[in-house]
Each structure stands twice: as structure tokens, then as C-alpha cells.
Amino acid sequence: MCGIAGLFDLRSKRDFPRDLVRRMNDVQVHRGPDEGGYHFEPGVALAHRRLSIIDLSTGQQPLFNEDGSVAVVFNGEIYNFQELVPELEALGHVFHTRSDTEVIVHAWEAWSEDCVQRFRGMFAFALWDRNRETLFLARDRLAVKPLFYALLPDGTFAFGSELKVLMQHPLLDRRIDAHAVEEYFALGYVAEPRTIFAGAKKLGAAETLCVRRGQPVPQPRCYWDVHFTLDNPLSLAEASAELTARLRESVRLRMIAEVPLGAFLSGGVDSSAVVATMAGLSDEPVHTCSIAFDDPAFNESEFAQKVADRYRTNHYVETVKSDDFDLIDTLAGLYDEPYADSSAIPTWRVCQLARKRVTVALSGDGGDESFGGYRRYRLHLMEERMRGALPIGVRQPMFGLLGRLYPKADWAPRMFRAKTTFQSLARDSLQAYFHSVSILRDAMRQQLFSNRFRSELAGYNAVEVFRRHAATAHTEDALALIQYVDLKTYLVGDINTKVDRASMAHSLEVREPLMDHKLVEWLATLPSGLKVKGQEGKYLFKKAMEPLLPNDVLYRPKMGFSVPLSRWFRGPLRERVRQTVLGETLAATGIFNPDYLRHLVDAHQSGARDYSSPLWSLMMFEAFVRNSGGYPARVPELAAAV
């Protein structure tokens, strides 16, 4: 796993300052501590940080074709590179290394922009073709690996694996994008293609960008999508057998490495299935790593231990104290822009533990989206049945009124917490799903933001992120639609972002067998009834894994990978929350309504409401502001107007 960076002059062939390029590369040294590589020529600078995984002796980057006219810097793994080498050799290409990186330059020569269609893996790369005066950027189908870019005022095109790479350039427009702020407080992350800064973008999932000297920067091109056809006629038994075979193939491809390899083992279905499959493919015991919590409500280490015992893995466990909140500022520096998933804390810790034993770890990420594992999927399907019974003209006034009048009761048993359900039933299907996953729902964000900031938004609502993706889903199936939206939004912006930054902070490569694009494509052909059956999520996956895993691992309630925010904010972090949320840093931005900030703090700390997630999102935003140098480029004139 690696970090890439570079500059390209769109207008002429200026020489870029080497010290600037080195600063851009050095700021991501954690992504590749083994080696640093550079290439400079008039109008082009490429930089690379290497974490050696395959071909340790000759896989240095930038890597070139035979005559040196094509160069690539690459972050990720091409898992099928061994299959592509003989095909490219038959076309006349000569290989000088055993690395998957060299496949990219020759595939570009053979198939041009369509080369990405041939790659099976996780990747973000930038390729320079001197003869065509073209810079070609690409990101993998499910956006496992990140890629940021910016067009600067002097005609320089800059790119890097992390936003902090671009932040080293003095010409980057670091004004805050108001729409990105709206997306962050709704979703907990800034959705592709935006970043928190107006001047920078993220390349999206399955996108390429072909930049040519003397031409305007075009819009990215999407080269792949997942199609939920739901028309595969396999029986449960046939689908279980094929799933097991496909998972085995995906895991086998991801076990190719020349360095120590292991797996995360949480005790949940996904990571347990990956470990069980690895054990069946390995002659040696699998190295597994788990984080235990000293709070029983969050601790599932006993289930991880059951799987470790069954497969006799070399199992390593570390216990995280329930007051492990020292990482708040570390996380803000890690993610470069606001990021509000508090499970980043245990994820950072398990990556820290794994790196003590291995350089590559397999994970179970991506299983919930493709197999239908989230509890919210089952709730959404229940609500959909109710929505289907009444036309929206009846639902909106009736349930809208109930949603406004029914008291909020976070403290009550779930069956008595009907306010959110009433609010969802008054909406259309996509609005309802957006409502259910929002950290601060529409009405809360209206109160959170200052009057001037709301005018800056000009009516923009983060639900548009969902609507944009839903327009390309091409399915009317209730489950398939939200799975598709999650694959495009939550998986990319939250899960993959979390794991990439946490693992790279420890120079650890994480591979995700459940995100193999061929597996995802196949699962999308299966009927939704094989994924969610009644109140059972991941129905097919669990049935397929019954011969391999204990029933109490497969069929126990899902715990998640979370931390006790609510208790922290009423206990050991009580004063820190108050000082942070009500302090000068957030006030100076001009974005927030100070009265509503005080309401959030007071209502949570009195026990009247559970506002732990909104408060955490505010704390992480405040930490971002401080790490950005005290909000140096706030939304123009907002602070003075409040």
C-alpha cells in the first residue's frame, strides 16, 4: 500500500519546485515508509511513497515502460496481475519486474483508457504518457483507495492520496464549501466528489479522469456500475454453494503477499467468514487480531475467540478502555476534513494492534451493504410495506402531523419511540431512508445553522446526494435501491475512508474480500428475499456459512464496532464537550446558531435527550477547524455577519 502525489502543467512545461513536491510526498510518509520515489521532467512531477508488499526488490515507483515514455505511480493491489502478464507479453510487452504495478503501464499501452476494465483489485493511480501529453487518473470500482485532485489558478493540476497532500500547495483554494458542510452534518462525511474545500475534489468510485495539456479538465468518466437485476433463478442451496466458491476465490486472490499476512476478527459474521475461508486455504495458522472492550455492552471478543479456537489461529487481543477518547485530535489530523464516525477510534486501535504482527490484514468490510446486513434495511422494508398501503397524499398530512406532535422519547423502549417512524412514513422512500441515516435530520440542521449560513446554502439539502445516485440505480426494488445508494455513499464516504486512513496511519495494508467487484456483481443478481428474509438479515450469507461457523456467531444480534459516546459526554468528557461545542472556535466560523448549540449540550447532559452523535460531529468539526489553522478560509463574510 502506498501514497501518490504529483503536479501537471496544463498550459506549458514549467519546472515544478522540487522542494514543494517533496513536501507533498513527505506529508504522507505514513502511507509508505519503506521508500520514496520521484520523477521530474518539464511540466510534470510524480511522487510516490512505498509500503513494500509484492516484489520487494524491484517494485520501486515511479515505474516506467520499456522506453521510459509512460510512467505510473500507484496505490493499491491488482489481484489478477499474474493472469494479465502472459496476455500482455503475447502482445509484445517486456516485463522487467514481478510487480503488479508494471501491468498498469503495459495495459495502458495495450488498451488505453479501457485498461481499468481489465483490473481486478483496489487501486488509485496516476499515469503519465509523454507521447500523448496526457495524465490519466483512475480509482477502483468500489473506491477502496482514495484519490484527491485540484485545478489551481496558475493552470497546475495537482493530485494526491490524501487531502493533506494538496494542502501543501500554496495556491489551493481552501475556502470552505458550504454544501460540504451540509453534507457532513447530515451524513457524517463529505460525499464524493466534494471535499470540505471549494478548491479540491475526490475522484469517485469507478471513475477515470484523462487530463491533456492544452485542453480543459473534463468531467470524470464512470467505467463500471453494479446492476441489481435480481433475476438469478438459483435455489438457496445452489446460491449457498456458489457463494462459498466465490468467497474462496476472492480470499485466495487477496492472500498473495511477500510479507506477513493476517486478518481482523471482530466476532461478527463478515470477519469470521473471511477468517474461516483463509484457514481453509492456508497450511499455516492464520494470524488474527481483535479489540476487546472493558465495557460488556460493547465487547464481542468472546465470539472472536470462539472462531479463533475453532480454526486454531494465532490470535492476538488487546483490551481498549471504555474511556479511550484520547484520539480525538489524532483523528482530525488523520482525515483532513470533518469525519464523524466514532468507530474510527476502535478501528485505529485494531490497525495499531495488527501492524505489530502483520503488514497485510484481510477484513470483512462491505458485507453489510451487499448481503443486506444492516438493521436499518429491515426497518426500511417494514416502513415500505406501510407506505405502500396508503397513497402519499394521505400519508403526508396524517403522519406528518403525528410526527410533529408525538413526543421524542429516546429513553423509552423502541416500541414506544414512534416519532421517527411517523416522520419517515410521511416521506417518499428515498427521503425516508435519508432521514433514517442522518446524524442531524433536516429540522435539526435548520436549527443548527445560522441564518446567514442557511442563505449561503440557497436551499441545498444533502438528500440530493442520495437522489443523484438513485437516478442511476435502475431498480424499483425497495431493498436493492437502498443497497445501491449505500454502495455509492456510505461504503465509500464512511467505511472505506475510515479503514484507509486508520490502516495507513500504521502503514498497514487492508484488503476486503467482500468488496471484490465480481462478487458484488453476482450478489446483485440474486433476489432480495435471499438477503433479507423476514427479520433475518444476511440470510443467504449465514446459511452458506453454517458449516463453517458456530450458530451463536451467525445468529446473535449485531453489535457493531462502537464506543460509549453518550456516557462519555455525561461523564469524563462532560466539560470538554461543553467547552468545545460552546467555545470560540465554532462561534468564530459563523456557521452555527449558538442557542441551538447550547440546547444540544444542555439537553444531552441533563439526560433529557441523547444527542451524542450530533455532539460528536460538532467536536470533530471543531477539531478540523483547529487542525486547519483556526479556520483560515471560512465561508466568505459569514463570521462578521453573525
Side-chain angles (χ1 to χ4, degrees):
M1 202 54 57
C2 307
I4 66 174
L7 301 172
F8 175 44
D9 187 354
L10 286 167
R11 298 175 183 171
S12 60
K13 293 185 178 181
R14 291 168 295 153
D15 288 327
F16 291 112
R18 297 195 176 204
D19 60 338
L20 169 61
V21 178
R22 293 188 186 279
R23 285 200 308 274
M24 292 171 66
N25 206 27
D26 288 346
V27 78
Q28 59 179 352
V29 67
H30 52 280
R31 298 187 71 91
D34 295 335
E35 292 179 272
Y38 297 89
H39 172 69
F40 295 94
E41 65 178 83
V44 176
L46 303 177
H48 182 262
R49 291 299 320 182
R50 186 186 187 201
L51 177 62
S52 303
I53 303 294
I54 294 173
D55 193 8
L56 305 187
S57 60
T58 63
Q60 292 80 9
Q61 298 183 44
L63 190 146
F64 299 84
N65 66 340
E66 297 93 332
D67 65 5
S69 63
V70 177
V72 70
V73 283
F74 163 52
N75 169 30
E77 301 287 349
I78 307 297
Y79 298 123
N80 64 331
F81 77 100
Q82 293 171 331
E83 302 169 18
L84 293 173
V85 168
E87 185 177 356
L88 289 164
E89 286 178 331
L91 294 174
H93 298 280
V94 178
F95 284 78
H96 298 286
T97 74
R98 296 179 294 105
S99 75
D100 55 338
T101 309
E102 192 172 5
V103 165
I104 298 173
V105 294
H106 297 311
W108 165 262
E109 292 176 300
W111 304 306
S112 191
E113 294 182 46
D114 288 336
C115 64
V116 289
Q117 301 281 3
R118 310 298 295 271
F119 299 151
R120 185 174 184 177
M122 56 178 186
F123 53 83
F125 66 81
L127 181 144
W128 164 243
D129 188 324
R130 184 186 304 122
N131 295 334
R132 304 187 204 183
E133 291 199 307
T134 294
L135 183 72
F136 179 67
L137 277 66
R139 195 175 181 193
D140 65 74
R141 293 167 179 82
L142 292 166
V144 176
K145 304 317 300 175
L147 190 52
F148 296 82
Y149 67 95
L151 177 60
L152 305 177
D154 66 348
T156 297
F157 182 90
F159 65 87
S161 291
E162 297 187 14
L163 189 54
K164 59 172 60 71
V165 173
L166 304 185
M167 292 168 68
Q168 303 308 303
H169 202 292
L171 294 183
L172 178 69
D173 182 354
R174 291 173 62 175
R175 289 175 298 161
I176 301 302
D177 183 337
H179 290 183
V181 175
E182 155 71 6
E183 291 174 8
Y184 168 71
F185 281 103
L187 301 173
Y189 54 88
V190 179
E192 272 79 348
R194 298 186 197 281
T195 72
I196 191 64
F197 297 127
K201 292 183 178 180
K202 306 178 183 106
L203 197 63
E207 285 187 347
T208 61
L209 184 60
C210 206
V211 185
R212 294 179 173 86
R213 182 169 284 134
Q215 298 182 19
V217 176
Q219 290 298 311
R221 179 178 72 92
C222 184
Y223 65 88
W224 176 87
D225 203 357
V226 57
H227 302 288
F228 281 84
T229 61
L230 314 179
D231 57 358
N232 196 319
L234 293 177
S235 67
L236 175 61
E238 291 168 333
S240 296
E242 185 165 347
L243 171 56
T244 302
R246 286 178 176 271
L247 178 59
R248 186 178 175 88
E249 179 196 27
S250 179
V251 169
R252 178 186 59 79
L253 287 171
R254 285 158 180 80
M255 291 177 69
I256 300 171
E258 297 177 15
V259 294
L261 177 142
F264 298 147
L265 181 56
S266 69
V269 176
D270 300 335
S271 66
S272 298
V274 169
V275 168
T277 305
M278 290 176 72
L281 291 165
S282 177
D283 295 330
E284 301 293 329
V286 177
H287 296 284
T288 55
C289 300
S290 293
I291 290 295
F293 295 91
D294 64 0
D295 185 337
F298 297 88
N299 187 25
E300 53 183 348
S301 60
E302 66 173 291
F303 300 101
Q305 190 65 55
K306 285 187 176 184
V307 176
D309 291 343
R310 180 165 179 164
Y311 290 101
R312 299 178 180 176
T313 71
N314 292 327
H315 191 53
Y316 307 100
V317 183
E318 284 189 3
T319 299
V320 174
K321 294 181 180 179
S322 58
D323 290 342
D324 181 33
F325 41 71
D326 295 334
L327 291 175
I328 292 175
D329 288 330
T330 299
L331 294 178
L334 203 64
Y335 290 92
D336 299 331
E337 58 182 349
Y339 178 79
D341 187 341
S342 61
S343 68
I345 292 178
T347 301
W348 195 94
R349 292 297 186 199
V350 77
C351 290
Q352 182 184 49
L353 168 61
R355 191 60 178 90
K356 296 175 183 178
R357 309 288 179 179
V358 300
T359 309
V360 177
L362 273 61
S363 83
D365 295 309
D368 284 313
E369 288 79 7
S370 288
F371 290 108
Y374 290 121
R375 182 178 178 276
R376 62 179 183 255
Y377 290 171
R378 302 193 294 280
L379 294 175
H380 181 77
L381 293 178
M382 291 171 58
E383 290 176 0
E384 276 293 277
R385 287 192 287 272
M386 298 175 70
R387 273 188 284 270
L390 292 172
I392 194 165
V394 175
R395 283 190 286 110
Q396 279 185 332
M398 180 172 69
F399 290 116
L401 178 63
L402 287 171
R404 289 190 296 273
L405 297 178
Y406 202 89
K408 182 73 172 170
D410 294 320
W411 50 268
R414 179 163 296 277
M415 63 181 294
F416 297 116
R417 285 187 267 168
K419 186 179 184 72
T420 299
T421 300
F422 290 148
Q423 292 172 337
S424 291
L425 290 174
R427 294 169 163 83
D428 68 40
S429 180
L430 200 66
Q431 282 181 318
Y433 187 63
F434 173 77
H435 180 75
S436 72
V437 301
S438 295
I439 293 178
L440 286 96
R441 291 169 174 150
D442 288 355
M444 294 180 71
R445 297 197 309 283
Q446 281 291 308
Q447 297 176 79
L448 177 72
F449 297 140
S450 66
N451 291 336
R452 183 61 185 271
F453 185 75
R454 288 202 304 273
S455 70
E456 192 75 21
L457 287 173
Y460 178 73
N461 188 298
V463 73
E464 294 307 317
V465 174
F466 280 26
R467 292 205 184 282
R468 172 165 51 89
H469 290 297
T472 62
H474 305 302
T475 181
E476 296 181 1
D477 181 86
L479 177 61
L481 176 62
I482 59 176
Q483 283 184 282
Y484 181 89
V485 168
D486 270 357
L487 284 167
K488 299 293 185 178
T489 58
Y490 182 71
L491 181 67
V492 176
D494 189 301
I495 302 297
N496 288 344
T497 299
K498 173 179 64 181
V499 175
D500 175 80
R501 305 305 189 279
S503 60
M504 286 289 89
H506 299 287
S507 305
L508 175 75
E509 175 171 307
V510 176
R511 301 175 177 178
E512 294 89 355
L514 302 184
M515 280 192 243
D516 183 272
H517 80 272
K518 290 183 178 293
L519 176 61
V520 171
E521 287 174 342
W522 177 75
L523 288 168
T525 70
L526 300 178
S528 291
L530 283 177
K531 298 161 189 171
V532 176
K533 190 174 183 65
Q535 290 302 300
E536 195 67 64
K538 293 183 183 171
Y539 179 71
L540 168 64
F541 195 26
K542 292 174 181 177
K543 287 295 182 184
M545 291 297 108
E546 281 183 350
L548 301 178
L549 296 172
N551 268 20
D552 53 356
V553 168
L554 292 172
Y555 294 106
R556 66 186 176 86
K558 183 178 176 67
M559 289 183 69
F561 204 36
S562 53
V563 293
L565 291 181
S566 184
R567 181 176 62 78
W568 285 359
F569 294 164
R570 292 181 183 129
L573 289 183
R574 181 182 180 89
E575 285 308 309
R576 180 167 180 174
V577 169
R578 184 168 290 274
Q579 292 172 11
T580 298
V581 175
L582 305 181
E584 294 181 0
T585 302
L586 291 184
T589 67
I591 290 175
F592 304 103
N593 171 4
D595 292 336
Y596 194 66
L597 294 182
R598 185 169 297 279
H599 162 72
L600 292 173
V601 174
D602 289 345
H604 182 84
Q605 294 189 340
S606 70
R609 301 286 289 274
D610 183 355
Y611 283 141
S612 54
S613 292
L615 290 172
W616 177 260
S617 67
L618 285 160
M619 291 184 73
M620 296 309 295
F621 192 86
E622 190 270 352
F624 156 74
V625 171
R626 284 188 289 103
N627 275 269
S628 297
Y631 212 67
R634 53 184 172 264
V635 179
E637 303 178 356
L638 281 182
V642 174

